[in-house]
Amino acid sequence: MKPRVIICDDERLARERLVRLLEDIGGYELVGLAEHGEQALALVEECRPDIVLMDMRMPVMDGLTCARQLSERESPPAIIFCTAFDEHALEAFSVTASGYVLKPVSRESLREALTRACRVSQLQLGTVRQQPTITERTTHRSHITARTHRGIELIPIDEVRYFLADHKYVTVRHEHGEVLIDETLKELEEEFGDRFIRIHRNALLSLNFLEGLEVISTGQYRVRIRGLDERLVVSRRHLPELRETLHRV
């Protein structure tokens, strides 16, 4: 069955553009149009969509308020915010946004956001749903937020291969490439220490993509990463823990 989609935007031209893009992309079923959050809530109850394309600034009920109410449902739809204001990205993430695209929405950015939304599991939604704000967050994020030339990107943690520190930035290597963020490895390790392992003072590796070790020279090792040709150097300090982890897996 095709994923079911609702479009919510107070601007008629914006709604029509999203309808055209959705038709061009194909593979999705449009089941409703709304002009504000209250209409979207009613349509979600009636149509049970898989995805809601949501504007942020709308009369009657804005997109963030609507998204928060939707996130309290037992099985909420995935939410992709479509807005001209990228300063709302972090706030959007705090209410279970599985995607975020900037207006004017392009076909490719919408296609990528829809694909990601279809991959968001109910477990991930449930984890993020309990986060009322970024500062009050007590559970792990399901996405990393990065500002790139395309606007704000949300990178699923499940797709991250490693974090690599370089001066004041951290490179996030993920399924489709890499982005830079201004968080620290220490903060990332504290939050995701159960899913990533420190292999060097400047590198955290995803346990899901840990493949094995190879010798460079006497006493020096590199780690193999599943699905990547590149290798990362392992420091002597972190080698024993990495070996123990490999024996367990």
Side-chain angles (χ1 to χ4, degrees):
M1 295 178 60
K2 295 180 180 180
R4 297 160 60 82
V5 180
I6 282 176
I7 293 172
C8 181
D9 197 304
D10 63 313
E11 298 180 1
R12 178 180 59 83
L13 292 178
R15 291 195 304 273
E16 292 176 351
R17 177 176 177 79
L18 287 173
V19 170
R20 291 196 303 272
L21 290 176
L22 203 62
E23 291 175 347
D24 289 346
I25 293 169
Y28 297 88
E29 179 184 0
L30 179 62
V31 295
L33 297 172
E35 297 181 15
H36 52 72
E38 286 189 359
Q39 287 185 357
L41 290 175
L43 280 174
V44 168
E45 187 66 30
E46 176 185 351
C47 303
R48 304 291 181 181
D50 302 294
I51 301 169
V52 178
L53 302 179
M54 182 89 71
D55 188 21
M56 284 204 174
R57 294 187 176 181
M58 296 180 291
V60 184
M61 179 185 287
D62 63 46
L64 287 169
T65 302
C66 178
R68 289 193 180 97
Q69 293 192 28
L70 288 175
S71 70
E72 295 172 356
R73 294 170 178 257
E74 183 176 349
S75 298
I79 298 168
I80 299 173
F81 282 108
C82 306
T83 179
F85 305 98
D86 66 356
E87 68 266 24
H88 293 304
L90 290 180
E91 193 173 4
F93 167 75
S94 74
V95 290
T96 76
S98 61
Y100 188 97
V101 292
L102 292 177
K103 293 181 177 178
V105 178
S106 70
R107 182 185 296 104
E108 190 55 37
S109 65
L110 182 59
R111 187 198 309 276
E112 290 180 4
L114 288 167
T115 299
R116 291 184 186 278
C118 289
R119 288 201 296 255
V120 174
S121 68
Q122 291 304 311
L123 176 60
Q124 290 172 321
L125 286 172
T127 298
V128 184
R129 186 165 59 241
Q130 300 173 26
Q131 304 176 33
T133 67
I134 290 297
T135 56
E136 296 173 359
R137 184 170 61 229
T138 57
T139 54
H140 300 335
R141 287 172 288 174
S142 61
H143 293 68
I144 291 292
T145 305
R147 185 184 296 273
T148 72
H149 67 282
R150 293 186 293 183
I152 299 296
E153 293 189 43
L154 297 177
I155 313 300
I157 287 296
D158 288 343
E159 296 182 4
V160 175
R161 273 52 174 175
Y162 60 77
F163 297 107
L164 188 65
D166 182 16
H167 300 294
K168 66 177 182 176
Y169 294 104
V170 168
T171 296
V172 182
R173 182 68 164 92
H174 59 91
E175 180 177 338
H176 304 290
E178 60 184 45
V179 295
L180 293 178
I181 59 175
D182 59 2
E183 301 183 51
T184 68
L185 274 190
K186 182 179 179 181
E187 293 170 338
L188 294 165
E189 185 174 25
E190 288 175 353
E191 184 173 358
F192 303 113
D194 58 334
R195 303 173 67 176
F196 288 76
I197 185 170
R198 176 83 70 158
I199 62 170
H200 195 279
R201 62 180 176 81
N202 68 348
L204 291 172
L205 176 68
S206 171
L207 292 170
N208 289 335
F209 296 95
L210 172 59
E211 187 172 78
L213 282 171
E214 61 183 36
V215 179
I216 305 174
S217 60
T218 304
Q220 293 186 317
Y221 292 83
R222 297 187 304 187
V223 67
R224 295 197 307 274
I225 306 168
R226 180 164 54 83
L228 295 181
D229 293 331
E230 58 198 272
R231 304 286 190 261
L232 295 180
V233 174
V234 179
S235 70
R236 292 183 179 182
R237 176 183 176 185
H238 296 98
L239 182 59
E241 182 183 359
L242 184 59
R243 278 176 163 163
E244 183 179 343
T245 299
L246 281 168
H247 288 153
R248 290 199 303 266
V249 299

